[in-house]
Amino acid sequence: MLNKGCPEEELFSFFSQKKREDLDHNYILSSMCTLPHPVAVRAHCMFMETNLGDPGLFPGTASLEQLLIKRFAALYHCPDAGGYATSGGTESNLQALRLAKVQQKDIPYPNAVVPESAHFSFKKSCDILGIEMRGVPLDDTLRMDADAAAEQIDSNTIALVGIAGTTEYGMVDPIAALAKIANQHNVLFHVDAAFGGMVIPFLDKPIPFDFSLPGVTTIAVDPHKMGMSTIPAGCLLTREPDLLHALNIDTPYLTVKQEFTLAGTRPGAPVVGALAVMDYLGVEGMRAMVKGCLKNTRRLIAGMETFGFERAATPDVNVATFIAKKEDIPAPWKVSWTRPGHLRIVCMPHVHGERIEAFLKDIGELHA
Ligand SMILES: *Cc1c(COP(=O)(O)O)cnc(C)c1O
């Protein structure tokens, strides 16, 4: 630590300089995060000091967290669903698997059946929880193969996982078929909709992925991705309102006596930020935003194909992937690469149509 404090102006000029080293969102095509909506920023600043980890001190903020959960419960066709605001998909996935493990304490060598397309947070979660992770291959459309999933389930399986909007290829697994399988085998079925949970409900033709399917037990969704909230904002939803109470531990010196959350101290600011965007935009506003992102995704795919870059998949949500090489990408554009080596671009709300055209123009010139 500095021995003598630094004057504020000097400090903030140093911070400004560092902030300028961050990439310009105009060129970021690789991220599932985006610029927060102005109403999220406003709500975030307003609730800056709130701590949801001690809800008795912040009953107003805590009621807004409940309201956010209610919004998702209604959107996901189960008005009585329970849940809480997490720090993001990683925590939601970890807590869902922790729940599965706690519910089936007597299984000595538990396993979770997870598609090979799963986000790396499942690897972390299984490591922490001491669960064997069983990978299920994908079909040729890059969706989890439901029959192969059923074959992997045995008496030690505590959870089945499906992805609604895969991180790398934007695919929605056959959630309805997987829900049936989970029901038949009586295992917890967790749907990771971290990305797709704020896209799929607003599509012209929504794909069933939520509590409208009887086998779905829990759902993860991240408002800090397509929900345009400030970071960090995720949610874990449970069909049964009190399911998470199985994770309760005693919290002696707080205003509540028990908690099931992973973090103790939890920020209220991004949670109210998430609610602010949902209530400000409403279903109509979300539909319009999603429509724009999908239009841009289709335009990008069509444009890339005219340059001879074949698509790697035909996505269900706004993630576009191509067969391309690193040297095909002009500076200063920031793209990403999938594990199998495909070019990946996420058409987030900050990636406006005009940015897609600018990228296509640059890549076209490089290949002229
Ligand atoms: C982003 C993502 C996660 C991880 O979410 P974080 O908020 O980064 O922890 C998990 N699953 C899927 C499908 C994701 O896209």
Side-chain angles (χ1 to χ4, degrees):
M1 233 177 113
L2 303 177
N3 198 24
K4 207 162 168 294
C6 176
E8 184 171 342
E9 284 322 307
E10 198 179 309
L11 193 58
F12 279 83
S13 109
F14 170 62
F15 291 164
S16 305
Q17 182 197 327
K18 284 291 156 191
K19 198 157 189 228
R20 281 193 298 271
E21 292 175 16
D22 290 347
L23 296 199
D24 177 349
H25 267 83
N26 276 315
Y27 294 95
I28 299 180
L29 305 179
S30 59
S31 181
M32 285 193 153
C33 287
T34 191
L35 289 166
H37 192 287
V39 299
V41 176
R42 184 171 173 189
H44 190 109
C45 294
M46 185 172 175
F47 285 82
M48 199 67 88
E49 73 288 4
T50 61
N51 172 18
L52 290 169
D54 211 350
L57 303 181
F58 303 97
T61 312
S63 73
L64 293 177
E65 179 184 16
Q66 283 315 304
L67 199 52
L68 178 67
I69 297 302
K70 277 254 160 271
R71 293 281 187 268
F72 277 116
L75 187 65
Y76 296 162
H77 305 101
C78 183
D80 294 328
Y84 80 102
T86 66
S87 58
T90 301
E91 180 181 338
S92 302
N93 291 338
L94 172 63
Q95 286 277 86
L97 291 189
R98 180 178 163 221
L99 177 66
K101 191 176 171 186
V102 166
Q103 280 183 327
Q104 293 155 94
K105 281 192 211 62
D106 25 314
I107 295 185
Y109 302 106
N111 68 67
V113 173
V114 171
E116 276 173 2
S117 54
H119 184 264
F120 49 78
S121 50
F122 286 99
K123 171 85 176 81
K124 295 183 191 175
S125 305
C126 288
D127 276 355
I128 293 169
L129 294 166
I131 296 173
E132 177 202 345
M133 191 168 96
R134 293 199 173 165
V136 176
L138 310 181
D139 65 19
D140 49 18
T141 67
L142 302 183
R143 295 179 179 90
M144 187 183 197
D145 185 323
D147 294 330
E151 277 166 30
Q152 291 282 344
I153 296 175
D154 64 18
S155 59
N156 290 327
T157 301
I158 58 166
L160 174 66
V161 173
I163 318 286
T166 58
T167 313
E168 291 183 299
Y169 292 93
M171 306 310 302
V172 178
D173 285 333
I175 304 296
L178 293 165
K180 265 196 200 133
I181 293 167
N183 242 347
Q184 280 159 9
H185 291 82
N186 202 21
V187 294
L188 183 151
F189 181 33
H190 175 62
V191 176
D192 180 1
F195 187 77
M198 298 211 77
V199 179
I200 303 163
F202 309 111
L203 295 173
D204 288 338
K205 282 190 215 128
I207 308 161
F209 79 104
D210 62 18
F211 295 124
S212 58
L213 303 167
V216 174
T217 324
T218 53
I219 300 176
V221 57
D222 277 0
H224 67 205
K225 291 177 174 169
M226 286 294 283
M228 295 183 288
S229 73
T230 50
I231 297 170
C235 285
L236 176 62
L237 286 305
T238 61
R239 175 191 296 280
E240 303 298 330
D242 297 327
L243 196 62
L244 287 164
H245 292 182
L247 298 179
N248 269 340
I249 51 106
D250 296 335
T251 50
Y253 46 81
L254 298 184
T255 51
V256 281
K257 294 297 148 226
Q258 292 196 309
E259 71 181 24
F260 51 72
T261 56
L262 185 64
T265 303
R266 296 191 297 127
V271 175
V272 187
L275 181 67
V277 180
M278 281 180 103
D279 281 6
Y280 179 75
L281 292 180
V283 171
E284 282 180 15
M286 285 298 295
R287 274 212 181 111
M289 185 275 288
V290 164
K291 201 184 178 109
C293 291
L294 276 141
K295 185 174 165 219
N296 291 339
T297 309
R298 286 191 297 269
R299 164 67 188 132
L300 175 66
I301 293 175
M304 288 294 279
E305 288 187 337
T306 64
F307 299 134
F309 294 105
E310 239 178 275
R311 72 183 80 178
T314 299
D316 295 315
V317 297
N318 41 319
V319 179
T321 49
F322 304 95
I323 299 166
K325 291 194 288 295
K326 305 251 151 105
E327 50 284 15
D328 293 327
I329 308 306
W333 295 96
K334 182 69 189 161
V335 298
S336 57
W337 301 89
T338 65
R339 285 172 283 187
H342 293 125
L343 164 64
R344 167 182 175 269
I345 290 174
V346 191
C347 295
M348 293 302 290
H350 71 272
V351 183
H352 301 294
E354 152 270 316
R355 299 315 299 155
I356 299 285
E357 298 308 330
F359 175 73
L360 286 171
K361 181 168 169 284
D362 284 359
I363 205 163
E365 278 168 11
L366 195 68
H367 291 271

